[in-house]
Amino acid sequence: MLVTNRLAIWTYRSALARRRLLQHREINIKRTMKIAVEGCCHGELDAIYQHINDLEQKNQYKVDLLLMCGDFQAIRTHADLNCMAVPQKYLKLGGFHQYYTGQKVAPILTVVIGGNHEASNYLRELYHGGWLAPNIYYLGAAGVVQFNGLRIAGASGIYKSHDYRLGLYEKIPYDRSSVRSIYHVRQYDVAKLLK
């Protein structure tokens, strides 16, 4: 694993590649993937993609997948800012809208979970997961995907004990309370991941 600033690059050898190596020891096939893992994105997609590109150029490898672990901030328009629970000084459009409208395309397949600083209205539209923009996939409130033999699971949001066992009761327009509770992880979402 290579860690630079907040970005971690993982090398993953798929189970299929390991089995093939064991079955055919005389053939030394190394099928590896480079996976970048980013903590809170806070709408800084361009800077993250540029940093990965710089690392790829410097180290002569190709990153196959980017995992974004919360606070992605998929903000499409200024109206989405009304559905975010962040201090006023952090309310900004960011760069996601350019990917959403197709002005830009993510250079790396990007898999995202939500955090506690999100445009909750948009992520709630994709409760079961889906494409936020070309080449950017949201796992939903809780979801699992397969990528080249690697199973990736994630739950969006943060844990709060007082909402954990409740159902989703929030509705648009969100008030001061529900704009925060909407991103609290729920027990039944976690239960889906345990199956």
Side-chain angles (χ1 to χ4, degrees):
M1 178 176 78
L2 171 68
V3 179
T4 60
N5 294 337
R6 298 177 309 163
L7 188 68
I9 307 291
W10 291 77
T11 300
Y12 169 78
R13 182 176 297 178
S14 73
L16 178 61
R18 281 194 304 270
R19 271 185 264 140
R20 286 184 181 156
L21 284 172
L22 290 174
Q23 291 170 355
H24 307 287
R25 289 184 181 215
E26 69 278 1
I27 301 172
N28 190 13
I29 300 172
K30 291 185 179 179
R31 293 185 183 215
T32 59
M33 290 189 297
K34 295 282 189 200
I35 300 172
V37 181
E38 172 70 34
C40 298
C41 169
H42 293 288
E44 299 295 332
L45 283 173
D46 290 339
I48 292 165
Y49 290 136
Q50 183 59 53
H51 187 68
I52 291 172
N53 183 60
D54 293 346
L55 289 172
E56 288 175 331
Q57 299 300 315
K58 177 182 175 185
N59 298 305
Q60 297 299 303
Y61 59 68
K62 178 78 175 127
V63 172
D64 300 295
L65 178 67
L66 171 60
L67 300 176
M68 296 277 206
C69 302
D71 288 357
F72 179 73
Q73 296 187 352
I75 304 165
R76 304 165 293 179
T77 66
H78 289 284
D80 286 343
L81 297 173
N82 296 324
C83 297
M84 293 182 65
V86 296
Q88 186 69 30
K89 67 180 180 177
Y90 295 116
L91 283 176
K92 61 179 183 171
L93 192 56
F96 173 75
H97 69 282
Q98 295 172 317
Y99 295 88
Y100 178 76
T101 59
Q103 294 172 1
K104 294 182 179 180
V105 175
I108 305 164
L109 177 60
T110 304
V111 176
V112 175
I113 61 168
N116 62 331
H117 298 131
E118 303 293 352
S120 298
N121 57 327
Y122 184 34
L123 297 189
R124 188 55 55 189
E125 290 174 20
L126 296 170
Y127 174 79
H128 298 288
W131 295 101
L132 294 172
N135 225 20
I136 302 174
Y137 187 81
Y138 171 57
L139 283 176
V144 179
V145 294
Q146 292 271 3
F147 179 73
N148 288 346
L150 176 66
R151 184 180 306 164
I152 301 165
S156 292
I158 62 170
Y159 174 79
K160 290 288 186 178
S161 60
H162 57 274
D163 284 327
Y164 185 67
R165 289 187 168 79
L166 298 177
L168 292 175
Y169 57 86
E170 300 88 357
K171 60 183 182 212
I172 294 178
Y174 300 129
D175 60 24
R176 273 182 68 85
S177 175
S178 63
V179 77
R180 286 169 178 73
S181 64
I182 191 75
Y183 57 73
H184 294 166
V185 173
R186 307 304 161 100
Q187 183 177 22
Y188 57 84
D189 291 326
V190 173
K192 291 188 294 187
L193 295 176
L194 299 176
K195 291 185 178 190

